[in-house]
Every structure is written in C-alpha cells, then in structure tokens.
Amino acid sequence: MAYTMPPTPAGPVGSQYCVCKVELSICGQNLLDRDVTSKSDPFCVLFMEVNGKWVELDRTETAVNNLNPAFAKKFIIDYHFEEVQKLKFALFDQDKSSTQLYEHDFLGEFSCTLGTIVSSKKITRTLLLGNGKPAGKGMITIAAQELSDNRVITLSMAGRKLDKKDLFGKSDPFLEFYKPGDDGKWMLVHRTEVIKYTLDPIWKPFTVPLVSLCDGDMEKLIKVVCYDYDSDGGHDFIGEFQTSVARLCETQDASPLELECINPKKQKKKKNYKNSGIIIVKSCKITRDFSFLDYILGGCQLMFTVGIDFTASNGNPQEPSSLHYINPLGTNEYLSAIWAVGQIIQDYDSDKMFPALGFGAQLPPDWKVSHEFAINFNPRNPFCSGVEGIVQAYSACLPHIRFYGPTNFSPIINHVARFAAQATQQETASQYFILLIITDGVISDMDETRHAVVQASKLPMSIIIVGVGNADFAAMEFLDGDSRVLHSYTGEEAVRDIVQFVPFRNFRNVPKETLAKAVLAELPQQVVQYFKHQNLPPINSEPA
C-alpha cells in the first residue's frame, strides 16, 4: 500500500476557508486475530487523499488484546462542504514499537468521503484487505460530531439610579463585559451602545456567542463595568460587579435580576456607601445558532436536480464545434459541470436518485418543443442513479432529440419548486432542493424566470447556473443577487439570494475542483438562512 507519512508537524489539510471542525469516533468489530498467543492489539490510522496520494493525518491509541475496540482518541478534521474530502481508515495490529506501518500486521481498511460520514452521522462498513476482499468479519463504525459550541446568549440590560458624573447634566452610561484571559487579565468581550443624558438607561438587547462571553463555561466569573461616556475618550468609571452566566440565567420575565454596581474607591471612603446604582438584567436567553453541518448531521437531505439546455445555439452535437460534442476523452463542458457539482452533492442524498431534465429541444415522435422533459424519456420516473446515471442518460439522449429553442428557464425552476413546496408541509428541516441549470446563453423568458426565482426564494431551494461557451452572460449575473436584490415583474422582492452563477470559461484551465468550490461556496449559508428564517432547528437537535 502506497502510504506517505505527513509533513512534520501535521497541519490541517484543506483550503483556508474551513466551515468547522468535525470529530470522528472509531470503533472496530470482529477484527482479524493476527496474534498467536493472544488477540490482536489494534490501532487505527486516518489518511486523507491529497493530490492523488494518501497522507497520514493521525492515529488512535492501541487497544491491547481486543478484537472489538472502541478507541478513546478521536480524529479531528477541518470540514469543507465544497470539496470532496477522501478519507481512508486503516487498522493495524501493533507488533513492535515502530512508527513504520509496514512493521505491523494489516487488519483491513475502509475508504469514503467525509461528506458520506456527516450525511449519515454514523456508518458501519466492512473492512477490506488490499485485494478488495473482506477482512474476515471485520467491521468499522465511524460516528461524526461537529466540534463547536453553537450556543449564543441574548441579554437585555437596563440601569437605575446610576451615579451622576456630568456637571451640567446626567450621565451618558454604557456597559462593558469582560471575561478572564489566559494571562489572568480581564479581556473585553462586548460593549453596549451609549445612552445619552440618563441615570436610568435601557440598552438594546444584544447577542454574543457563549464561547466569547465565558468560554462556554456557565459558572465562569465575568465582569461587567459601567462607564459614563466622554467624547474625549476619558470615560468616567461609574461602577462594576462580577457575576456568571448561570447567575444571569436566573432572570425570570416577571422578576428581573438586579445587581449592585459598585465603585470600590467610594466603598472604601464612605461608611454609608450602598452602591453607584443598580444594573438590571431584564432578560437572558441561551439559544443555539445552528450551522450547516448541524442540519446535515440532523438528517437534512440535499435533493439534487439537473436542468440541461438543448437549444439550437449549442450547435450540432456530432460536430466538434458544438458545446454538446463529446470529445475523445468522453467529456464536454456540460458533463464537466455535472461531475463537478454532482460528485459533491450526491454524498448528501441517501438514495442518490437524481431527476435529470432537459429544455429547448424537439422530442420524438411528434417533434414538439419541450422545456421540461426527462432526459431518460421516462416522465413518470426521471430519476438517474448517481452522477454516473445522469451522464449515461445525457449521452444516450443526444442522438434522439432535435436541438431547438427558445431558452426558457421558468418551467424547470417551477418544476423543482413544486417539490420544494411539498417538502415545506413537513415543517421540519429534512429536505433542501438544489437545481443545477447548465446553459449556453441568453434567457428567452426573463420575466417569467425572475418571477419563478422570487417565488422559489421562499422555499427550501437554491439554483446554481453554469454558463458554458462564450456567450454574453449579463442576464445570469442579474439573476445572481449578490450585488442587488432581485425583483419579480410584479415588483415583489426575493426573500433571499438563492441563485449562484458562474461562467465555465473562467475554469477551463484550472483543476476541476475549483469549479465545485466556486459554485457551491454560498450553498451552506443559503441552507442555514432558509431554515433559520422558518425557525426550523435541525431534526435531531439538542436544547441549548
């Protein structure tokens, strides 16, 4: 087996834009027994494919004399949705103290993508030997968990009878929140806005990550300091107090928590000093700020549909000048786009059955134009098995259709939107629909398409458009609402930006993974945005 050792020290592998970290827990069952006088002493090694080579990332501890180990050491990996992250889990029986793997007996291995693991949350698979045959009855179980504290705290604060600091008026109070830093000094976490001319301020509610406020430790002391704002930056100290998030959470709607604001210098000087005012915690709520991975680990499936442009402007598919011409390498820009997006999204759909639709062609036997037809010519079952199935159906349909026109997007968008609308009736974060449209040019039904996109923006749905060829794609840029909000012809605004457009020509001379990163970069954010907007938590989420 061609394994390479990691560079020292082993750093995280992947692009610099990491969505989050995933913790993988490993168990083995019924492992091969390689020791004569006792049972195997297994350990697990994790590899990631980097530039076509398996690079070791980490190892577990050795489980002595155990054919059913549950390893305490966890693997921690940076997770990137828009990349295919290929992993290999190899188990060995430790025979010597050597770090060289060839010194140990091989017990079997299993390979898959990180996407496959997180979309299932937990998988159990057969271990294979180097010849591809099962390693006896050996199995491996891999469980994934997101490594992040996604709790956020929302505080609503007020003050009463704060000390007057200004000669000719009242104070201009604001609050600062601190937590203890690693160096033992207080570290600023949050500053409220200034409320002018009052000793009884009511600050706006604010939300901060719980990790930021107290490192996720509800019992940890935090310090709250109240100042009177001065425009020259020399803010006057009013008072302070120390508390904990656990204490703040004692606030009830009916009875707000009241904490004395103390000025230690005044307290020392004045015998009858009580306080420098009261800080009131009107409300304190801890909730979870769910991530894309939370929804995937919770069981959300990504439902993938492809829409392919078969209009006449693509050219005769038999001629090399055509965008649909399949070259001697068995590919073209349409197929490259299908592979780039499909190979990543297919990990997140359990049955891997994808509808593949065409538009802008005349179909046999009556040669009527269709803007929404199954490319496998089975309208009752337009599903293709995996990305390979889409590619096969595409290649098979080319000789049997006549390229025509016009280039209408709205029928296919509305087709997928109908399924997305049905999914909303479940009122759970269980399905999100992705439509990949691959086209060579100008949209003929722009008004209807704009209207369809605006309506789809209310649904669990995103649209990826890949423009092939060298046409003017200004209209596509217009649909991609990165710079402005898209409006329907009725004047209705899109609730959110759901269209991502990329021209394929920008990616002709770069690694094929680059296209996938570009088209899928916004998708995790769009998924989270939709479910949050609907107040839908992940299906299997824990309370905060």
Side-chain angles (χ1 to χ4, degrees), residues 6 8 14 21 38 86 110 196 220 222 263 375 427 436 460 519 525 533:
T8 311
K21 291 185 183 295
S38 61
K86 289 184 182 171
F110 167 67
K196 292 276 192 179
K220 181 176 273 193
I222 59 172
N263 183 326
I375 65 171
E427 296 186 351
L436 168 64
V519 296
Q525 182 186 342
H533 194 258

Side-chain angles (χ1 to χ4, degrees), residues 123-161:
I123 61 172
T124 300
R125 296 288 187 272
T126 302
L127 288 167
L128 301 176
L129 296 172
N131 58 11
K133 291 182 179 176
K137 294 180 180 177
M139 308 286 284
I140 186 170
T141 298
I142 307 160
Q145 183 177 351
E146 182 173 2
L147 265 195
S148 67
D149 187 337
N150 57 14
R151 292 173 297 170
V152 294
I153 182 167
T154 302
L155 287 164
S156 184
M157 312 286 290
R160 188 175 72 241
K161 295 184 178 174

Side-chain angles (χ1 to χ4, degrees), residues 88-364:
K88 181 179 285 188
F89 301 85
L91 285 119
F92 295 86
D93 170 25
Q94 181 161 352
D95 283 338
K96 300 168 186 159
S97 57
S98 171
T99 58
Q100 299 298 322
L101 291 176
Y102 62 79
E103 298 271 12
H104 307 285
D105 291 328
F106 180 54
L107 299 177
E109 66 186 17
F110 167 67
S111 303
C112 67
T113 63
L114 183 55
T116 300
I117 301 168
V118 298
S119 64
S120 303
K121 196 168 188 180
K122 188 176 186 178
I123 61 172
T124 300
R125 296 288 187 272
T126 302
L127 288 167
L128 301 176
L129 296 172
N131 58 11
K133 291 182 179 176
K137 294 180 180 177
M139 308 286 284
I140 186 170
T141 298
I142 307 160
Q145 183 177 351
E146 182 173 2
L147 265 195
S148 67
D149 187 337
N150 57 14
R151 292 173 297 170
V152 294
I153 182 167
T154 302
L155 287 164
S156 184
M157 312 286 290
R160 188 175 72 241
K161 295 184 178 174
L162 298 178
D163 280 359
K164 182 181 168 186
K165 289 289 182 181
D166 294 347
L167 281 173
F168 303 107
K170 298 179 179 179
S171 294
D172 306 319
F174 67 94
L175 297 177
E176 289 187 341
F177 289 74
Y178 292 83
K179 70 175 177 184
D182 293 335
D183 56 1
K185 295 176 182 172
W186 290 102
M187 190 169 101
L188 179 64
V189 173
H190 180 77
R191 181 183 291 120
T192 67
E193 79 280 17
V194 176
I195 307 292
K196 292 276 192 179
Y197 317 122
T198 180
L199 303 180
D200 304 298
I202 298 174
W203 289 283
K204 288 178 190 169
F206 65 91
T207 301
V208 292
L210 201 60
V211 169
S212 299
L213 185 60
C214 62
D215 298 325
D217 180 354
M218 309 260 290
E219 302 298 333
K220 181 176 273 193
L221 276 181
I222 59 172
K223 183 166 77 168
V224 182
V225 185
C226 185
Y227 288 101
D228 167 40
Y229 173 82
D230 276 341
S231 57
D232 64 2
H235 311 308
D236 296 319
F237 175 71
I238 292 175
E240 66 183 27
F241 60 89
Q242 292 185 19
T243 183
S244 67
V245 171
R247 177 94 169 91
L248 297 178
C249 287
E250 292 171 14
T251 304
Q252 303 294 325
D253 290 337
S255 57
L257 181 66
E258 299 196 348
L259 298 156
E260 287 188 305
C261 196
I262 303 296
N263 183 326
K265 286 184 181 175
K266 281 191 175 182
Q267 196 176 34
K268 278 183 183 175
K269 283 182 185 176
K270 297 182 180 178
K271 283 186 180 178
N272 60 349
Y273 175 82
K274 279 181 72 179
N275 57 54
S276 294
I278 301 291
I279 299 296
I280 305 158
V281 185
K282 293 169 66 184
S283 75
C284 173
K285 288 192 177 76
I286 294 178
T287 52
R288 289 194 181 275
D289 185 19
F290 294 112
S291 69
F292 172 71
L293 196 51
D294 285 321
Y295 285 102
I296 296 299
L297 288 168
C300 181
Q301 296 275 298
L302 301 184
M303 317 301 283
F304 181 46
T305 301
V306 178
I308 301 172
D309 179 344
F310 291 112
T311 54
S313 53
N314 282 278
N316 182 343
Q318 260 86 49
E319 294 175 8
S321 59
S322 168
L323 292 166
H324 280 289
Y325 173 74
I326 297 177
N327 63 32
L329 296 173
T331 189
N332 60 30
E333 292 190 359
Y334 278 89
L335 287 171
S336 296
I338 290 168
W339 273 115
V341 179
Q343 69 174 343
I344 287 171
I345 290 180
Q346 71 175 349
D347 282 344
Y348 299 87
D349 186 333
S350 56
D351 67 5
K352 299 189 179 8
M353 297 297 291
F354 307 121
L357 308 172
F359 59 93
Q362 295 174 318
L363 305 185

Side-chain angles (χ1 to χ4, degrees), residues 409-462:
F409 278 18
S410 59
I412 278 185
I413 295 172
N414 290 329
H415 174 98
V416 175
R418 284 193 292 275
F419 289 96
Q422 284 175 9
T424 61
Q425 293 167 14
Q426 298 174 37
E427 296 186 351
T428 59
S430 56
Q431 291 182 322
Y432 192 92
F433 291 76
I434 295 143
L435 170 60
L436 168 64
I437 297 176
I438 314 168
T439 181
D440 80 318
V442 181
I443 304 172
S444 308
D445 64 337
M446 190 60 177
D447 282 353
E448 291 81 359
T449 294
R450 276 167 51 202
H451 186 69
V453 170
V454 168
Q455 299 311 310
S457 72
K458 304 169 193 170
L459 299 169
M461 177 173 168
S462 289

Side-chain angles (χ1 to χ4, degrees), residues 388-405:
E388 295 88 348
I390 299 173
V391 169
Q392 287 165 8
Y394 165 79
S395 303
C397 88
L398 283 174
H400 302 290
I401 59 175
R402 291 179 187 161
F403 290 17
Y404 205 70

